[in-house]
Amino acid sequence: MRCYCCSSKSFDECCEPFIKGDKHPSSAEQLMRSRFSAYATAHYQYILETYTKEKQQGLSVEDLAQSAQGATWFALKVHPTLAASSVDNSVDSLVGNLVSSTEDSSIDSTVHADAKVEAVTNAEAISKTNLKSISKPITKPNNAIVEFTAYYFENKSMYQLHETSNFSVEDGKWRYHDGVLHDDCGKIKYGRNLPCVCGSNKKFKQCCATKSR
């Protein structure tokens, strides 16, 4: 089965090992993709554990589950201009080495996806006035930015969540810190005969549209 994050890999060789704790993401993009897959498969403990420690306060697995109730997450698009892969490759190599040599760290939290885009964040989000300051990948070894659009169904309607996210390394592991939502978040209409947003090369009506039922 193709991974929920819409990569070219299968779930069991892409995000599942991270969610199970068998491996740790070696880049911010890998972490972001695995968090999306965790939402798609309702693994909220993993979501909680992959926030920064600072953002953990006041958030629980129950909070995350409740915020995502009614939403079916089905497709992810990573925007290459801000993808974590644009950060110096040596950074990911360094973090990968740290990940393999450290034990699981304590959990964190802040922005979590809500079934309703208007309430997607349950904590601090970067104000739009600060978006310009994070419009380029951070080149510090312990920080990175990923821009993505996540798609989901709620009550048979299609929504998108477009976010630019900040990630940092804690105890040798990549963690999600916070992010800013873009103006195009919300309910959208998508032609049933258009190519599916998941990148399967099938028509939307023959692919992910069936998940809205």
Side-chain angles (χ1 to χ4, degrees), residues 40-84:
T41 56
H43 284 86
Y44 301 112
Q45 183 65 43
Y46 179 77
I47 298 296
L48 187 60
E49 291 174 353
T50 51
Y51 279 101
T52 58
K53 295 176 183 178
E54 176 185 344
K55 300 301 182 178
Q56 180 211 351
Q57 302 303 316
L59 191 62
S60 67
V61 171
E62 290 73 21
D63 293 330
L64 294 169
Q66 184 176 7
S67 72
Q69 187 175 8
T72 300
W73 300 90
F74 68 90
L76 177 70
K77 178 181 179 181
V78 179
H79 299 276
T81 54
L82 289 180

Coordinates of all heavy atoms in Angstrom, one line a residue, residues 40-84:
A40 N -3.6 10.5 9.5 CA -4.4 9.7 8.6 C -4.7 8.3 9.3 O -5.8 7.7 8.9 CB -3.7 9.5 7.3
T41 N -3.9 7.8 10.2 CA -4.1 6.5 10.8 C -4.5 6.6 12.3 O -4.5 5.6 13.0 CB -2.8 5.7 10.6 OG1 -1.7 6.4 11.2 CG2 -2.6 5.4 9.2
A42 N -4.7 7.9 12.7 CA -5.2 8.1 14.1 C -4.2 7.7 15.2 O -4.5 7.2 16.2 CB -6.5 7.5 14.4
H43 N -2.9 7.9 14.9 CA -1.8 7.6 15.9 C -1.5 8.9 16.6 O -0.4 9.5 16.3 CB -0.6 7.0 15.2 CG -0.8 5.5 14.8 ND1 -1.4 5.1 13.6 CD2 -0.5 4.4 15.5 CE1 -1.4 3.8 13.6 NE2 -0.9 3.3 14.7
Y44 N -2.3 9.3 17.5 CA -2.2 10.6 18.1 C -1.1 10.7 19.2 O -0.5 11.7 19.4 CB -3.5 11.0 18.7 CG -4.6 11.1 17.7 CD1 -5.7 10.2 17.7 CD2 -4.5 12.0 16.7 CE1 -6.7 10.3 16.8 CE2 -5.5 12.1 15.7 CZ -6.6 11.2 15.8 OH -7.6 11.2 14.8
Q45 N -0.7 9.5 19.7 CA 0.4 9.5 20.6 C 1.7 9.9 19.9 O 2.5 10.7 20.4 CB 0.6 8.1 21.2 CG 1.7 8.0 22.3 CD 1.5 8.8 23.5 OE1 0.3 8.8 24.0 NE2 2.5 9.5 24.0
Y46 N 1.9 9.5 18.7 CA 3.1 9.9 17.9 C 3.0 11.4 17.6 O 4.1 12.0 17.7 CB 3.1 9.1 16.6 CG 4.3 9.4 15.7 CD1 5.5 8.9 16.0 CD2 4.1 10.3 14.6 CE1 6.6 9.3 15.2 CE2 5.2 10.6 13.8 CZ 6.4 10.1 14.1 OH 7.5 10.4 13.3
I47 N 1.8 11.9 17.3 CA 1.7 13.3 17.1 C 2.2 14.1 18.3 O 3.0 15.1 18.2 CB 0.3 13.7 16.7 CG1 -0.2 13.0 15.5 CG2 0.1 15.2 16.6 CD1 0.5 13.5 14.2
L48 N 1.7 13.7 19.4 CA 2.1 14.3 20.7 C 3.6 14.3 20.9 O 4.2 15.3 21.3 CB 1.3 13.7 21.9 CG 1.5 14.4 23.2 CD1 1.0 15.8 23.2 CD2 0.7 13.6 24.3
E49 N 4.2 13.1 20.7 CA 5.6 12.9 21.0 C 6.5 13.6 20.0 O 7.7 13.8 20.3 CB 5.9 11.4 21.0 CG 5.3 10.6 22.1 CD 5.5 9.1 21.9 OE1 6.0 8.7 20.9 OE2 5.1 8.4 22.9
T50 N 6.0 14.1 18.9 CA 6.8 14.8 17.9 C 6.7 16.3 17.9 O 7.1 16.9 17.0 CB 6.6 14.2 16.5 OG1 5.2 14.2 16.2 CG2 7.2 12.8 16.5
Y51 N 6.0 16.9 18.9 CA 6.1 18.3 19.1 C 7.3 18.6 20.0 O 7.9 17.7 20.7 CB 4.9 18.8 19.9 CG 3.6 19.0 19.1 CD1 2.6 18.0 19.2 CD2 3.4 20.1 18.4 CE1 1.4 18.2 18.5 CE2 2.2 20.3 17.7 CZ 1.2 19.4 17.7 OH 0.1 19.6 17.0
T52 N 7.8 19.9 19.9 CA 8.9 20.3 20.8 C 8.4 20.3 22.2 O 7.2 20.4 22.5 CB 9.4 21.7 20.4 OG1 8.3 22.6 20.5 CG2 10.0 21.7 19.0
K53 N 9.3 20.2 23.2 CA 9.0 20.1 24.6 C 8.2 21.4 25.0 O 7.3 21.3 25.8 CB 10.2 20.0 25.4 CG 10.9 18.7 25.2 CD 12.3 18.6 26.0 CE 13.0 17.3 25.7 NZ 14.3 17.3 26.4
E54 N 8.6 22.5 24.5 CA 8.0 23.8 24.8 C 6.5 23.8 24.5 O 5.7 24.4 25.2 CB 8.7 24.9 24.1 CG 8.1 26.3 24.3 CD 8.7 27.4 23.5 OE1 9.8 27.2 23.0 OE2 8.1 28.5 23.4
K55 N 6.2 23.1 23.4 CA 4.8 23.2 22.9 C 3.9 22.0 23.4 O 2.8 21.9 23.1 CB 4.8 23.1 21.4 CG 5.5 24.3 20.7 CD 4.9 25.6 21.2 CE 5.6 26.8 20.5 NZ 4.9 28.1 20.9
Q56 N 4.5 21.2 24.3 CA 3.8 20.1 24.8 C 2.8 20.5 25.9 O 1.7 19.9 26.0 CB 4.7 19.0 25.4 CG 4.0 17.8 26.0 CD 4.7 17.2 27.2 OE1 5.8 17.6 27.5 NE2 4.0 16.3 27.9
Q57 N 3.1 21.6 26.6 CA 2.3 22.0 27.7 C 0.8 22.2 27.4 O 0.5 22.9 26.4 CB 2.9 23.3 28.3 CG 4.3 23.2 28.7 CD 4.6 22.0 29.7 OE1 3.8 21.9 30.7 NE2 5.6 21.3 29.5
G58 N 0.0 21.5 28.1 CA -1.5 21.7 28.0 C -2.1 21.0 26.9 O -3.3 21.2 26.5
L59 N -1.4 20.0 26.3 CA -1.9 19.3 25.2 C -1.8 17.8 25.5 O -0.9 17.3 26.1 CB -1.1 19.5 23.9 CG -1.7 19.0 22.6 CD1 -3.0 19.6 22.3 CD2 -0.7 19.3 21.4
S60 N -2.8 17.0 25.1 CA -2.9 15.6 25.4 C -3.3 14.8 24.2 O -3.8 15.4 23.2 CB -3.9 15.3 26.5 OG -5.2 15.6 26.1
V61 N -3.2 13.5 24.2 CA -3.6 12.7 23.1 C -5.1 12.9 22.9 O -5.6 12.9 21.8 CB -3.3 11.2 23.5 CG1 -4.0 10.3 22.4 CG2 -1.8 10.9 23.5
E62 N -5.9 13.0 24.0 CA -7.3 13.2 23.9 C -7.6 14.5 23.2 O -8.6 14.6 22.4 CB -7.9 13.2 25.3 CG -7.9 11.9 26.0 CD -6.6 11.5 26.5 OE1 -5.7 12.3 26.6 OE2 -6.3 10.2 26.7
D63 N -6.8 15.6 23.4 CA -7.0 16.8 22.7 C -6.9 16.7 21.2 O -7.6 17.2 20.4 CB -6.1 17.9 23.2 CG -6.3 18.3 24.7 OD1 -7.5 18.2 25.1 OD2 -5.3 18.6 25.4
L64 N -5.8 16.0 20.9 CA -5.5 15.8 19.5 C -6.6 15.0 18.8 O -7.0 15.3 17.6 CB -4.1 15.1 19.3 CG -2.9 15.9 19.8 CD1 -1.7 15.1 19.9 CD2 -2.7 17.1 18.9
A65 N -7.0 13.9 19.4 CA -8.0 13.1 18.9 C -9.3 13.8 18.7 O -10.0 13.7 17.6 CB -8.3 11.8 19.7
Q66 N -9.7 14.6 19.6 CA -10.9 15.4 19.5 C -10.8 16.5 18.4 O -11.8 16.7 17.7 CB -11.2 16.1 20.9 CG -12.5 16.8 20.9 CD -12.9 17.4 22.3 OE1 -12.1 17.4 23.2 NE2 -14.1 17.9 22.4
S67 N -9.7 17.1 18.3 CA -9.5 18.1 17.3 C -9.6 17.6 15.9 O -10.1 18.3 15.0 CB -8.2 18.8 17.5 OG -7.1 18.0 17.0
A68 N -9.3 16.3 15.7 CA -9.3 15.7 14.4 C -10.5 14.9 14.1 O -10.7 14.3 13.0 CB -8.0 14.9 14.2
Q69 N -11.4 14.9 15.1 CA -12.6 14.1 14.9 C -13.4 14.5 13.7 O -13.7 15.7 13.5 CB -13.5 14.2 16.2 CG -14.7 13.2 16.2 CD -15.4 13.3 17.6 OE1 -15.1 14.2 18.4 NE2 -16.3 12.4 17.7
G70 N -13.8 13.5 12.9 CA -14.7 13.8 11.8 C -13.9 14.1 10.5 O -14.5 14.2 9.4
A71 N -12.6 14.2 10.6 CA -11.7 14.5 9.4 C -11.1 13.2 8.9 O -10.6 12.4 9.7 CB -10.7 15.5 9.8
T72 N -11.1 13.1 7.6 CA -10.4 12.0 6.9 C -9.3 12.6 6.1 O -9.5 13.2 5.0 CB -11.4 11.2 6.0 OG1 -12.4 10.7 6.8 CG2 -10.6 10.1 5.3
W73 N -8.1 12.4 6.6 CA -6.9 13.0 5.9 C -6.5 12.0 4.8 O -6.3 10.8 5.0 CB -5.7 13.2 6.9 CG -6.1 14.1 8.0 CD1 -6.7 13.8 9.2 CD2 -5.9 15.5 7.9 NE1 -6.9 15.0 9.9 CE2 -6.5 16.0 9.2 CE3 -5.4 16.4 7.0 CZ2 -6.4 17.4 9.5 CZ3 -5.4 17.8 7.3 CH2 -5.9 18.3 8.5
F74 N -6.3 12.5 3.5 CA -6.1 11.6 2.4 C -5.0 11.9 1.5 O -4.6 11.1 0.7 CB -7.4 11.4 1.6 CG -7.9 12.6 0.9 CD1 -7.5 12.9 -0.4 CD2 -8.7 13.6 1.5 CE1 -7.8 14.0 -1.1 CE2 -9.1 14.7 0.8 CZ -8.7 14.9 -0.5
A75 N -4.5 13.1 1.5 CA -3.4 13.4 0.5 C -2.5 14.6 1.1 O -3.0 15.4 1.8 CB -4.0 13.8 -0.8
L76 N -1.3 14.5 0.7 CA -0.3 15.5 1.1 C 0.6 16.0 0.0 O 1.0 15.2 -0.8 CB 0.6 14.9 2.2 CG 1.8 15.8 2.7 CD1 1.2 16.9 3.6 CD2 2.7 15.0 3.6
K77 N 0.8 17.3 -0.1 CA 1.7 17.8 -1.1 C 2.8 18.7 -0.4 O 2.4 19.6 0.4 CB 0.9 18.7 -2.1 CG 1.8 19.4 -3.1 CD 1.0 20.3 -4.0 CE 1.9 21.0 -5.0 NZ 1.1 21.9 -6.0
V78 N 4.0 18.4 -0.6 CA 5.1 19.1 0.0 C 5.6 20.1 -1.1 O 5.9 19.8 -2.2 CB 6.3 18.2 0.4 CG1 7.4 19.1 0.9 CG2 5.8 17.2 1.4
H79 N 5.6 21.4 -0.7 CA 6.1 22.4 -1.6 C 7.6 22.5 -1.7 O 8.2 22.8 -0.6 CB 5.5 23.8 -1.2 CG 4.0 23.8 -1.2 ND1 3.2 24.0 -2.3 CD2 3.1 23.5 -0.2 CE1 1.9 23.9 -2.0 NE2 1.8 23.6 -0.7
P80 N 8.2 22.2 -2.8 CA 9.6 22.1 -2.9 C 10.4 23.3 -2.5 O 11.6 23.2 -2.1 CB 9.9 21.7 -4.3 CG 8.7 22.1 -5.1 CD 7.5 22.0 -4.1
T81 N 9.9 24.5 -2.7 CA 10.6 25.7 -2.5 C 11.0 25.9 -1.0 O 12.0 26.5 -0.7 CB 9.8 27.0 -2.9 OG1 8.5 27.0 -2.3 CG2 9.7 27.0 -4.4
L82 N 10.2 25.3 -0.1 CA 10.4 25.4 1.3 C 10.6 24.1 2.0 O 10.7 24.0 3.2 CB 9.3 26.1 2.0 CG 9.1 27.6 1.7 CD1 7.9 28.2 2.5 CD2 10.4 28.4 2.1
A83 N 10.7 23.0 1.2 CA 10.9 21.7 1.7 C 12.2 21.6 2.5 O 13.2 22.2 2.2 CB 10.9 20.6 0.6
A84 N 12.1 20.8 3.6 CA 13.3 20.6 4.4 C 14.5 20.1 3.6 O 15.6 20.3 4.0 CB 13.0 19.6 5.5

